[in-house]
């Protein structure tokens, strides 16, 4: 367990851009990827806005256009993000042991688009007209499996599924896999594509999403007193984790080091966070303990911060519980005001953000924080990105079912 793990590659597909640098610059500029839904006619839905990925072409990451047609949108996002992370890492796959290179790429829901389309066929045309690719397209492990098949990565391979904590769990388990000596390189993250009638309708039925339909750019309002729910996003994020000596031997560019991982359960409620964020607090403490760090070693937190009324309050309470007086010195931001909530992909996109924040010494802003909730009284980096020295970060992800996952990344100084 004394093996060190570093981040050497990043790949994202987001509503703010399909490439890392474009996404990062748009995020720092305070841009917002939320707009009216164009994927289907949402006129009868309570929520008619979302953060869609538009003008997306996955073909560069796939062996052929035929393979693209045989995959669900969530898999296309995931494979493309992993392909980008591979390119960003500079790894020459022909010069590494592919038996020790693996993939953990999860999804909160999987192929919901395929489920909807094939269900229509079943009802209207009968079971004989269902696609033979129905099951491979919808099962949520397929993004992980496909990337390993396309790029001949024969190491550990699986998919996590823990709602909005999915990607952080994937990264944490990939970190653990390298620490245990079972791999030297892991591609880890999450992918999601649920902006379809069933996905939007289901969350509308829960009354979990914003209905600020006439003002989409200002609809996602983390920690703001006027917040009224999250806004759905879609996309994928993948990070390349690498054993330090393996990375050094090939002269890799290192973004940061993954130092700790927390994984706890609220054991409280299906959708609501535990009172006062108790489960989230235990998760952050576990991550600090596994990293061997003190609260004072953290300078920035990328909050789960979904803009739900109770969730933002509970996360604020959890941060105060864990960090005490140091909580007032932390920069805390939620980037979901810009990207929407990407569900099972959120944690990986946000760890990419954390990695860039450490590399560049910039904390991204929480946009739309115009009227802070009195119960959310920390420094949330409102409106404008902030230049600052960032040595240690916590990336928080909390999901339905009471799943909590926290990743700690630190500046790598050799």
């Amino acid at each position: 367990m004394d093996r060190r793990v570093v981040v050497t590659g990043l790949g994202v597909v987001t509503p703010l851009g399909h490439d890392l640098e474009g996404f990062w610059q748009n995020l720092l500029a305070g841009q917002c990827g939320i707009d009216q839904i164009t994927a289907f006619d949402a006129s009868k839905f309570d929520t008619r806005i979302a953060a869609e990925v538009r003008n997306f072409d996955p073909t560069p990451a796939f062996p052929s256009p035929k393979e693209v047609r045989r995959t669900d949108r969530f898999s296309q996002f995931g494979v493309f993000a992993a392909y980008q992370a591979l390119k960003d890492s500079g790894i020459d796959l022909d010069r590494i042991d592919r038996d020790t290179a693996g993939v953990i790429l999860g999804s909160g829901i999987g192929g919901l688009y395929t489920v909807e389309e094939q269900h229509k066929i079943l009802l209207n045309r009968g079971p004989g007209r269902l696609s033979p690719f129905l099951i491979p397209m919808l099962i949520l492990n397929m993004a992980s499996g496909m990337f390993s098949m396309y790029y001949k990565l024969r190491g550990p391979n699986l998919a996590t599924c823990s709602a909005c904590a999915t990607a952080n769990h994937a990264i944490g388990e990939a970190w653990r896999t390298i620490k245990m000596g079972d791999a030297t390189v892991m591609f880890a993250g999450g992918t999601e594509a649920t902006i379809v009638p069933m996905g939007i309708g289901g969350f509308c039925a829960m009354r979990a999403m914003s209905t600020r339909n006439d003002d989409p750019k200002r609809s996602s309002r983390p920690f703001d007193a006027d917040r009224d729910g999250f806004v759905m996003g879609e996309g994928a994020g993948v990070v390349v984790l690498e054993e330090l000596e393996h990375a050094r031997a090939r002269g890799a560019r290192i973004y940061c080091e993954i130092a700790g991982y927390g994984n706890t359960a609220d054991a409280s409620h299906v959708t609501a966070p535990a009172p006062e964020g108790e489960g989230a607090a235990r998760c952050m403490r576990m991550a600090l303990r596994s990293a061997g760090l003190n609260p004072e070693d953290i300078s920035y937190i990328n909050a789960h911060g979904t803009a739900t009324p109770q969730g933002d309050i509970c996360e604020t309470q959890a941060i105060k519980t864990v960090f005490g007086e140091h909580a007032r010195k932390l920069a805390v931001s939620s980037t979901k005001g810009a990207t929407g909530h990407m569900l099972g992909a959120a944690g990986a996109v946000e760890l990419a953000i954390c990695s860039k924040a450490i590399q560049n010494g910039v904390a991204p802003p929480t946009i739309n924080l115009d009227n802070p909730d009195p119960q959310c009284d920390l420094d949330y980096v409102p409106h404008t990105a902030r230049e600052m020295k960032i040595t240690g970060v916590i990336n928080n992800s909390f999901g339905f079912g009471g799943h909590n996952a926290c990743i700690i990344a630190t500046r790598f100084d050799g």
Side-chain angles (χ1 to χ4, degrees), residues 24 37 39 58 69-70 74 92 103 120 148 168 221 240 246 299 310 323-324 340 344-345 352 389 396 401:
W24 175 245
I37 292 172
R69 293 193 297 271
R70 292 175 173 177
F74 91 97
D92 182 348
V103 187
K120 293 175 187 175
S148 72
N168 261 11
R221 311 181 65 81
V240 176
H246 187 274
S299 45
Q310 195 58 36
F323 288 91
K389 185 177 181 180
N396 282 342

Coordinates of all heavy atoms in Angstrom, one line a residue, residues 24 37 39 58 69-70 74 92 103 120 148 168 221 240 246 299 310 323-324 340 344-345 352 389 396 401:
W24 N -12.1 23.8 -19.7 CA -11.5 24.5 -18.6 C -11.6 26.1 -18.7 O -12.0 26.8 -17.8 CB -10.0 24.1 -18.4 CG -9.2 24.8 -17.4 CD1 -8.1 25.6 -17.6 CD2 -9.4 24.8 -16.0 NE1 -7.6 26.1 -16.4 CE2 -8.4 25.6 -15.4 CE3 -10.3 24.1 -15.1 CZ2 -8.3 25.8 -14.0 CZ3 -10.2 24.3 -13.7 CH2 -9.2 25.1 -13.2
I37 N -34.1 22.3 -23.6 CA -33.8 20.9 -24.1 C -34.1 20.8 -25.6 O -35.2 21.3 -26.0 CB -34.7 19.9 -23.3 CG1 -34.2 19.8 -21.9 CG2 -34.7 18.5 -24.0 CD1 -35.1 18.9 -21.0
A39 N -33.1 17.7 -27.3 CA -33.1 16.3 -27.6 C -34.4 15.7 -27.9 O -34.6 14.7 -28.6 CB -32.4 15.5 -26.5
P58 N -18.3 11.1 -31.8 CA -17.4 10.1 -31.1 C -16.5 9.3 -32.0 O -15.7 8.6 -31.5 CB -18.4 9.2 -30.4 CG -19.6 9.2 -31.3 CD -19.7 10.6 -32.0
R69 N -22.5 3.0 -34.0 CA -24.0 2.8 -34.1 C -24.4 1.6 -33.2 O -25.6 1.6 -32.8 CB -24.4 2.4 -35.6 CG -24.2 3.6 -36.5 CD -24.9 3.3 -37.9 NE -24.3 2.1 -38.6 CZ -23.2 2.3 -39.4 NH1 -22.7 3.4 -39.6 NH2 -22.8 1.2 -40.0
R70 N -23.5 0.8 -32.7 CA -23.9 -0.3 -31.9 C -23.7 0.0 -30.4 O -23.7 -0.9 -29.5 CB -23.0 -1.5 -32.2 CG -23.3 -2.1 -33.6 CD -22.3 -3.2 -33.9 NE -22.7 -3.9 -35.1 CZ -21.9 -4.9 -35.7 NH1 -20.8 -5.3 -35.1 NH2 -22.3 -5.5 -36.8
F74 N -24.3 7.0 -23.8 CA -23.5 7.0 -22.6 C -22.2 6.3 -22.8 O -21.1 6.8 -22.4 CB -24.2 6.4 -21.4 CG -24.0 5.0 -21.1 CD1 -23.1 4.5 -20.2 CD2 -24.8 4.0 -21.8 CE1 -22.9 3.2 -20.0 CE2 -24.6 2.7 -21.6 CZ -23.6 2.2 -20.7
D92 N 2.2 5.5 -24.7 CA 2.3 4.7 -25.9 C 1.9 3.3 -25.4 O 2.7 2.6 -24.8 CB 3.7 4.7 -26.4 CG 3.9 3.9 -27.7 OD1 3.0 3.1 -28.0 OD2 4.9 4.0 -28.4
V103 N -9.3 -0.6 -16.6 CA -10.4 0.4 -16.7 C -11.5 0.2 -15.7 O -11.9 -1.0 -15.5 CB -11.0 0.3 -18.1 CG1 -12.0 1.5 -18.3 CG2 -10.0 0.2 -19.2
K120 N -40.2 1.2 -27.3 CA -41.2 1.6 -28.3 C -41.3 0.5 -29.4 O -42.4 0.2 -29.9 CB -40.7 2.9 -28.9 CG -40.8 4.1 -28.0 CD -40.2 5.3 -28.7 CE -40.1 6.5 -27.8 NZ -39.4 7.7 -28.4
S148 N -11.7 -1.1 -23.0 CA -10.7 -2.1 -22.9 C -10.5 -3.0 -24.1 O -9.4 -3.3 -24.5 CB -11.0 -3.0 -21.6 OG -12.1 -3.9 -21.9
N168 N -16.6 9.0 -8.6 CA -15.6 9.1 -7.5 C -15.3 7.7 -7.0 O -14.1 7.4 -6.6 CB -16.1 10.0 -6.4 CG -15.5 11.4 -6.4 OD1 -14.8 11.7 -7.4 ND2 -15.7 12.1 -5.4
R221 N -28.3 27.0 -9.1 CA -27.9 28.0 -8.2 C -27.3 27.4 -6.9 O -28.0 27.5 -5.8 CB -29.0 29.0 -7.9 CG -29.7 29.5 -9.1 CD -30.8 30.5 -8.8 NE -30.3 31.7 -8.2 CZ -29.8 32.7 -8.9 NH1 -29.7 32.7 -10.2 NH2 -29.3 33.8 -8.3
V240 N -6.5 9.3 -16.1 CA -5.5 8.3 -16.1 C -4.8 8.3 -14.8 O -4.1 9.3 -14.4 CB -4.5 8.4 -17.3 CG1 -3.4 7.4 -17.2 CG2 -5.3 8.4 -18.6
H246 N 6.3 4.1 -12.5 CA 5.9 3.9 -13.9 C 5.8 5.2 -14.7 O 6.3 5.3 -15.8 CB 4.6 3.1 -14.0 CG 4.2 2.6 -15.3 ND1 3.6 3.4 -16.2 CD2 4.4 1.4 -15.9 CE1 3.4 2.7 -17.3 NE2 3.9 1.5 -17.2
S299 N -6.9 23.1 0.9 CA -7.1 24.5 0.6 C -8.3 24.7 -0.3 O -8.9 25.8 -0.3 CB -5.9 25.1 -0.1 OG -5.4 24.3 -1.1
Q310 N -32.0 20.9 0.6 CA -31.4 20.3 1.8 C -30.0 19.9 1.6 O -29.2 19.9 2.5 CB -32.3 19.1 2.2 CG -32.0 18.6 3.7 CD -32.2 19.7 4.7 OE1 -33.1 20.5 4.6 NE2 -31.3 19.7 5.7
F323 N -13.9 20.3 9.3 CA -12.8 21.3 9.3 C -12.7 22.3 10.4 O -11.8 23.0 10.6 CB -12.8 22.0 7.9 CG -12.4 21.1 6.8 CD1 -13.3 20.3 6.1 CD2 -11.1 20.9 6.4 CE1 -13.0 19.5 5.1 CE2 -10.7 20.1 5.4 CZ -11.6 19.4 4.7
G324 N -13.8 22.4 11.2 CA -13.8 23.3 12.3 C -13.5 24.7 11.9 O -14.1 25.2 10.9
G340 N -24.4 21.8 -15.1 CA -25.5 20.9 -14.7 C -24.9 19.8 -13.9 O -23.7 19.6 -13.7
G344 N -23.7 10.2 -12.8 CA -22.6 9.3 -12.6 C -21.3 9.7 -13.2 O -20.3 9.1 -12.9
A345 N -21.3 10.8 -14.0 CA -20.1 11.3 -14.6 C -19.5 12.5 -13.8 O -18.4 12.9 -14.0 CB -20.3 11.8 -16.0
A352 N -11.2 16.2 -12.7 CA -10.4 16.8 -13.8 C -10.3 18.3 -13.5 O -9.2 18.9 -13.6 CB -11.0 16.6 -15.1
K389 N -3.0 29.6 -4.2 CA -2.1 28.4 -4.1 C -3.0 27.3 -3.6 O -3.6 27.4 -2.6 CB -1.0 28.7 -3.1 CG 0.0 27.5 -3.1 CD 1.2 27.8 -2.2 CE 2.2 26.6 -2.2 NZ 3.3 26.8 -1.3
N396 N -15.9 16.0 -3.6 CA -17.0 15.4 -2.9 C -18.1 14.9 -3.9 O -18.4 15.7 -4.9 CB -17.7 16.4 -2.0 CG -17.0 16.5 -0.7 OD1 -16.2 15.7 -0.3 ND2 -17.3 17.6 0.1
G401 N -29.4 6.7 -2.4 CA -29.0 5.4 -1.7 C -28.1 5.6 -0.6 O -27.7 4.7 0.1

